[in-house]
Amino acid sequence: EIGEEAWTIGYPETDRLGDEAKYTKGEISALSGTSSEGGNIRTNDTRFYQITTPISHGNSGGPLFDESGNLIGVTSNGWTDLNNINYAIKSNFLQILLESFGLDNAAPKQNTLIGLKQKDQIKKVKPFVFMVLCYNNKNIEEELLRDSLTVYQEHNSVQQTKKPISSSDTILKVD
C-alpha cells in the first residue's frame, strides 16, 4: 500500500561511511517504478515499488521489509539527482524467479519477525545481510562469468540429487 513503512539494511557508500551495516526507513510512495533495460527507460513498471527509504550505492540487493517484518522487496536503484526517489523489486516477482529455477522452497513461508519491535527485527535480520564487493576489472569479470557458468552447469547436472534450498539457508546480498 502507498504510505506503508518500508525499511532496509545494507552497506551504502562503505568507502565514506564504513563497513558496518546501516538501517534506513521510509515509505512506499508508488506501486510502480522506473527501470532501464538496454538503455531504454521504462516508467510505470509494476515489477517495482517506488520508495522513500534512503538507499545509495551499496544498498542494491538488500532486503526491503514492511513494519511487520515481511520481506516485500529487494532494493535496486534510485535517481542520484532526485531526493529519496528509489526503487525495489517486489518480492512476488522474486518468488516467480525462484520458482523458474526450481527453487520453490527457497523463500521462507512463515514470518518469524511478526510481533517483534523493529530494533529486534533488525537484530534478527542483520546476520543474514552481507556485503559483497565487486571490482570493475575486465579480467575478474570474465573469470567470474566463467566460474558462474560452471557453477550453473554443475548445479543443473546434479539438480535431481541435490536437496532444495530450505528457508534456513542464507541468501546473499549482491551489489
Side-chain angles (χ1 to χ4, degrees):
E1 298 280 330
I2 293 176
E4 181 178 6
E5 181 181 294
W7 62 273
T8 190
I9 189 164
Y11 295 88
E13 304 289 342
T14 55
D15 55 336
R16 298 188 313 180
L17 301 175
D19 60 4
E20 180 185 355
K22 311 293 187 292
Y23 158 84
T24 59
K25 179 167 84 171
E27 297 174 338
I28 294 175
S29 53
L31 299 179
S32 64
T34 302
S35 62
S36 176
E37 295 173 20
N40 298 319
I41 293 179
R42 179 179 170 183
T43 59
N44 301 316
D45 190 336
T46 58
R47 296 175 297 174
F48 293 84
Y49 288 118
Q50 181 179 314
I51 57 174
T52 63
T53 307
I55 63 171
S56 51
H57 181 72
N59 280 109
S60 303
L64 184 71
F65 296 97
D66 67 12
E67 64 185 327
S68 296
N70 294 303
L71 179 66
I72 59 171
V74 173
T75 59
S76 59
N77 63 314
W79 292 100
T80 57
D81 59 337
L82 300 171
N83 289 332
N84 286 334
I85 305 293
N86 300 304
Y87 302 101
I89 301 168
K90 294 176 182 176
S91 59
N92 59 327
F93 288 99
L94 298 172
Q95 184 64 37
I96 292 167
L97 176 68
L98 290 172
E99 289 170 3
S100 74
F101 284 104
L103 300 172
D104 300 15
N105 298 322
K109 303 296 183 219
Q110 184 176 1
N111 179 352
T112 60
L113 303 177
I114 271 185
L116 296 178
K117 292 180 180 179
Q118 195 156 65
K119 66 179 186 165
D120 295 324
Q121 290 176 346
I122 294 165
K123 285 179 188 174
K124 198 165 183 178
V125 167
K126 193 174 176 181
F128 299 98
V129 179
F130 299 90
M131 176 177 26
V132 176
L133 300 175
C134 297
Y135 298 95
N136 191 12
N137 179 307
K138 189 158 183 69
N139 293 333
I140 292 174
E141 287 176 15
E142 288 173 1
E143 186 176 326
L144 287 171
L145 285 172
R146 193 171 47 251
D147 289 349
S148 64
L149 179 61
T150 302
V151 168
Y152 176 75
Q153 290 170 338
E154 288 172 1
H155 172 75
N156 282 343
S157 67
V158 297
Q159 189 170 8
Q160 300 302 321
T161 59
K162 186 176 178 179
K163 81 171 197 170
I165 295 174
S166 74
S167 60
S168 63
D169 290 335
T170 302
I171 298 175
L172 294 179
K173 168 193 170 302
V174 179
D175 247 338

